[in-house]
Amino acid sequence: RYGGRGIKVCSRWMKFENFFSDMGVAPKEKSLDRIDNDGDYSKANCKWSTSAEQHRNKSTNVVITYQGESKILTDWAKSLGLRVDTLWMRLKRNMPLEKALKPRQLKEP
C-alpha cells in the first residue's frame, strides 16, 4: 500500500548503519512511526512510538474539525463522554456536526 501512495524510504536509510545512526536503538515497547502519515520514511519524519500512539496516526482514522479544533473521532467521543459507535452512527446518519457532538441528554423523570 505504501508504494501506491508514493511513500518511500529515504536513500540514506538503504544502508542500515545510516538508519541506526539517525534513529538509534528502538526504545522498549516502541516501533518506528511516521509523523506525517503521508510522508516518507526519513529522519525528519520518523520517531519511536508506542502502539497506542501509532493507532492515532493511521490513515483510516476519521478526523473531525469543529470550531477550529481537530481531533480523531475516538478522541471527540472520549472528551464528550460518548461511545465511539454512538458518535460514528450519528455522523453516518448525516446528523449535523453540532448536534452529533452533543452528549446525550437524559430525560427528566
Side-chain angles (χ1 to χ4, degrees), residues 15-97:
K15 286 183 69 179
F16 177 76
E17 294 81 9
N18 292 335
F19 167 81
F20 190 76
S21 172
D22 288 347
M23 299 304 297
V25 175
K28 189 174 182 175
E29 298 185 21
K30 292 192 176 186
S31 59
L32 195 64
D33 186 23
R34 286 172 296 131
I35 297 163
D36 173 3
N37 197 35
D38 293 320
D40 293 338
Y41 284 89
S42 67
K43 181 179 180 180
N45 193 45
C46 288
K47 63 180 181 147
W48 296 111
S49 298
T50 64
S51 179
E53 290 170 319
Q54 288 199 32
H55 279 52
R56 294 184 138 31
N57 194 26
K58 291 171 37 175
S59 61
T60 55
N61 279 332
V62 175
V63 178
I64 300 168
T65 302
Y66 180 66
Q67 295 182 339
E69 186 173 3
S70 296
K71 298 183 201 179
I72 62 173
L73 183 137
T74 304
D75 290 342
W76 276 112
K78 185 176 180 179
S79 69
L80 296 167
L82 294 170
R83 290 173 38 132
V84 173
D85 58 337
T86 298
L87 180 53
W88 173 247
M89 287 309 295
R90 287 177 178 182
L91 296 172
K92 194 172 179 179
R93 291 182 178 142
N94 295 317
M95 184 182 283
L97 191 55

